[in-house]
Amino acid sequence: MSTKALTKAAAMRRDLKDPTFLSALKNGGPLVWLSCIIMGLGNIAAGQIIMGLMYLAVEIGVFAFLCTRGGGIYWISMLPSLGDREMQEVWNDETGVYEYVMGDQSQLILLYGIASLCIILLLVFVWQLSVRSGYKALAQKKAGMKPLNFVQSVKTLFDENIHKLLMILPTACIAIFTILPLLYMMSMAFTNYSKETENLVLFDWVGIRNFKVLFNSTNSIGRQFGSVLGWTLIWAFFATFLNFFLGTFVAIIINRKTIKLKGLWRGCLSLTIAVPQFVSLMIIRNMMMPDGIINRVLLDAGLIAEKLPFLTNTTWARVMVIIINCWVGIPYTIMQVTGILQNIPAEQYEAATIDGANPVQQFIHITLPYMIFVLTPYIITQFTGNINNFNIIYLLTRGEPLQIGNTAGDTDLLVTWLYKLTVDQQKYNMGAVIGIFTFVVLAVVSLITYRSSGSYKDEEAFK
C-alpha cells in the first residue's frame, strides 16, 4: 500500500474517532457545510435526531437572547459608551407630582455586555462541536457503521467519556464564578468608576489613566503604592518561610524517638486550628491595645515604665503581626511536615548513620531536600495566600497606624488597601487596578517558581 493510501486511511480512522474542526470542513460535504449555519443538521441527517435538535435548540436560544429587545446585542452595542442617559425628573400631569425616569446604568451595561460576549464565545465553542459531531456521524454512516443514538451517547459519559461528564460542573463554576467576575473587574480598571466625580451610576472609559495614577509618585495613591507593595512582599516572605522552618523544626523535635506523648504535644499545638481564627485574632487585638491586659500586667509588675505601642508604632505593629501569624500558621505546617517525616524511608537514615552522618547532616541531605521537593506546591500556595492574607492584618491592626493624608496604613497589604479603596472610599477603578497588578504578579511568580522546582521537573526523583 502506498504512503498516500496509508495517510488517507489514518485520516479516515481519525475522522471516525475524533475529527478536528478543520478536517470536518475540508472533508465534509454540503450537509457538513450547511451545519455551520444550521447547527445539528449533520447529526439529524445521520440519524442522531435528539442530539441534532439539542444543538439546534442551543443556537436558537442564543440567537433569541441576542436579538430580542434588551438582549445581548443591545448590551454589547452599549459597551463603547457605557451609557449616557442620566436619571430624569418628569412632571406627571395626572398625578401632579414629579416622577423619576431611570437612565442608563454603566455597571449593568458593563456586566451584561461582558456576559453577552462570553455567551457568544460559548456559542462558537458549541458550534464547532456540532460541526465535528455531525461530520463524525456522517463519516461513520458512510463507512457502514451505525452512529451512536442519544441513549448510547449518554452511556459513554459514564465510561470512556467520563472525564467530560466530571468536568462539566467544575468548568461551568469556574466560568461563572471566576472568569466572568475577573473579566468584569479587569474591565472596571479602565473606567473612572469611583465616588470622586459622583459617577457611580454613569461612568466612562479612560484607557490606562488609572494605571498611570498608580505608578505616578507625584500623587497620593502612587506614593503609597510603593511602600504598600514593599511591605506586602516583606510580610509574605517572613510569614511564609518563618512558618515553614519553625513548623518544620518543631515537627522534627516532636517526631524524635526519644520524645514521649507525641500526640499530646501535637494536640496542644493544634488548638489554634480548632478555635475560629476570627475569635483568636479579635482577642489578641484587645490584649495588645494600649489599655489591654498585656500592658496592664507589665505595668503592674513594674517591668515597663510606659505602655508598649504594640499596635500604634509602625515597627512594633509589623513585627507583632508576623509573630502572631507564626502562632496561627505553625500548627498547619506541623501537620504537613509530620505526615512527610513519617513517609521518609527509614533505610536512608540507617545508611546515613552507618556512613557516619550526624543528625544535622542527615537533616540537610535527607530530610530537608525531601520536604522541599514534596512541599514546594504548598509553599507557593502559602506565599500566595499570605500576600492575600486579609484576616490577620485587618482583624489585628485594621492596617494601622495610619499617617495623616494617607489612605493606606503602615501595616496594610495590597489586599486590605484594595478593600479600603473600594468599600470605604468607593474608588472601585483604583481597586480594580491594584487587583489586576496583584493577580498578574502572583500568577507569573507562582508559575515560574513551580515550573522551576523539582516537584514539576522530576516528579520521579523520590520514588
Side-chain angles (χ1 to χ4, degrees):
M1 186 178 291
S2 65
T3 304
K4 185 176 181 180
L6 289 173
T7 304
K8 186 176 180 180
M12 183 177 295
R13 286 194 299 271
R14 184 185 67 244
D15 290 345
L16 292 174
K17 185 177 181 181
D18 189 20
T20 64
F21 179 70
L22 292 179
S23 68
L25 292 180
K26 180 180 178 181
N27 303 321
L31 284 174
V32 175
W33 298 334
L34 282 175
S35 67
C36 294
I37 301 175
I38 305 175
M39 288 171 52
L41 183 62
N43 297 94
I44 294 174
Q48 295 179 328
I49 307 297
I50 297 179
M51 187 174 296
L53 291 177
M54 289 175 63
Y55 281 123
L56 183 60
V58 171
E59 181 180 20
I60 294 173
V62 172
F63 273 99
F65 163 74
L66 293 175
C67 299
T68 54
R69 183 179 180 182
I73 297 298
Y74 167 77
W75 296 113
I76 294 173
S77 67
M78 294 291 288
L79 277 177
S81 65
L82 293 177
D84 51 17
R85 294 186 299 109
E86 297 182 355
M87 180 184 292
Q88 298 179 356
E89 190 179 51
V90 180
W91 175 258
N92 189 323
D93 291 328
E94 296 182 0
T95 59
V97 296
Y98 282 100
E99 296 180 348
Y100 291 95
V101 179
M102 182 64 68
D104 294 327
Q105 297 187 58
S106 298
Q107 297 179 59
L108 296 181
I109 293 173
L110 185 60
L111 177 61
Y112 293 158
I114 292 175
S116 300
L117 291 176
C118 291
I119 290 174
I120 291 176
L121 291 177
L122 177 63
L123 175 64
V124 172
F125 175 73
V126 177
W127 169 71
Q128 63 90 22
L129 283 181
S130 72
V131 174
R132 290 169 55 195
S133 177
Y135 171 67
K136 177 182 177 180
L138 290 172
Q140 289 175 340
K141 186 176 182 180
K142 185 177 179 181
M145 302 168 59
K146 186 178 179 179
L148 299 177
N149 58 35
F150 180 74
V151 175
Q152 292 171 330
S153 298
V154 171
K155 287 183 178 179
T156 63
L157 294 176
F158 297 91
D159 191 5
E160 63 266 25
N161 292 325
I162 192 170
H163 61 284
K164 297 180 180 179
L165 176 64
L166 295 177
M167 288 303 296
I168 290 176
L169 182 60
T171 302
C173 291
I174 290 173
I176 296 173
F177 300 111
T178 301
I179 296 178
L180 181 59
L182 185 62
L183 292 174
Y184 178 66
M185 184 270 291
M186 293 176 67
S187 301
M188 195 179 296
F190 299 92
T191 70
N192 59 348
Y193 180 37
S194 71
K195 190 67 174 177
E196 293 179 358
T197 54
E198 298 296 330
N199 54 359
L200 289 178
V201 176
L202 284 177
F203 50 86
D204 302 307
W205 298 105
V206 295
I208 61 172
R209 188 179 75 186
N210 296 324
F211 293 86
K212 292 180 179 179
V213 170
L214 186 66
F215 294 100
N216 186 357
S217 60
T218 61
N219 61 70
S220 175
I221 292 181
R223 285 194 304 270
Q224 296 173 76
F225 175 70
S227 61
V228 174
L229 175 62
W231 159 239
T232 300
L233 296 176
I234 292 172
W235 149 263
F237 176 83
F238 282 103
T240 301
F241 291 100
L242 280 179
N243 280 356
F244 175 72
F245 287 110
L246 293 177
T248 299
F249 179 72
V250 175
I252 290 175
I253 291 176
I254 296 176
N255 201 57
R256 290 180 64 85
K257 295 180 180 180
T258 56
I259 298 297
K260 306 297 183 181
L261 303 175
K262 291 182 173 61
L264 174 63
W265 302 121
R266 289 172 184 147
C268 292
L269 291 169
S270 300
L271 286 177
T272 55
I273 299 177
V275 179
Q277 193 180 86
F278 173 82
V279 176
S280 301
L281 295 176
M282 293 301 294
I283 292 174
I284 293 174
R285 173 180 169 82
N286 290 332
M287 292 173 63
M288 293 194 304
M289 295 294 286
D291 294 324
I293 188 172
I294 297 178
N295 272 319
R296 288 185 179 181
V297 170
L298 294 177
L299 286 170
D300 293 342
L303 298 177
I304 57 174
E306 57 183 15
K307 299 175 182 178
L308 298 178
F310 290 115
L311 303 178
T312 56
N313 178 273
T314 299
T315 304
W316 276 83
R318 289 180 173 180
V319 172
M320 292 309 301
V321 294
I322 291 174
I323 293 174
I324 294 168
N325 182 72
C326 289
W327 174 72
V328 173
I330 282 178
Y332 291 95
T333 305
I334 292 175
M335 295 280 190
Q336 296 280 343
V337 173
T338 299
I340 295 171
L341 291 174
Q342 294 175 350
N343 283 279
I344 299 177
E347 295 81 5
Q348 295 188 22
Y349 291 107
E350 294 173 359
T353 302
I354 293 172
D355 291 338
N358 57 41
V360 176
Q361 292 173 323
Q362 292 179 20
F363 173 77
I364 294 175
H365 296 287
I366 298 176
T367 307
L368 187 60
Y370 191 92
M371 287 193 304
I372 292 178
F373 177 84
V374 176
L375 289 178
T376 295
Y378 170 75
I379 295 173
I380 294 173
T381 303
Q382 285 295 98
F383 183 82
T384 303
N386 282 321
I387 285 183
N388 291 317
N389 197 331
F390 181 87
N391 288 349
I392 295 287
I393 299 297
Y394 194 80
L395 294 178
L396 278 178
T397 67
R398 305 290 194 273
E400 299 171 353
L402 181 66
Q403 307 300 325
I404 297 176
N406 288 348
T407 57
D410 291 338
T411 58
D412 265 321
L413 306 180
L414 288 174
V415 65
T416 57
W417 189 29
L418 185 156
Y419 175 83
K420 291 180 178 179
L421 286 174
T422 53
V423 176
D424 296 340
Q425 303 166 35
Q426 297 183 319
K427 296 179 180 179
Y428 299 100
N429 54 344
M430 296 309 304
V433 172
I434 295 173
I436 291 175
F437 179 82
T438 306
F439 167 75
V440 171
V441 171
L442 284 179
V444 172
V445 171
S446 299
L447 288 174
I448 292 176
T449 305
Y450 178 64
R451 291 177 68 89
S452 301
S453 66
S455 301
Y456 177 84
K457 289 183 176 181
D458 190 14
E459 63 182 39
E460 302 292 333
F462 283 89
K463 289 187 177 181

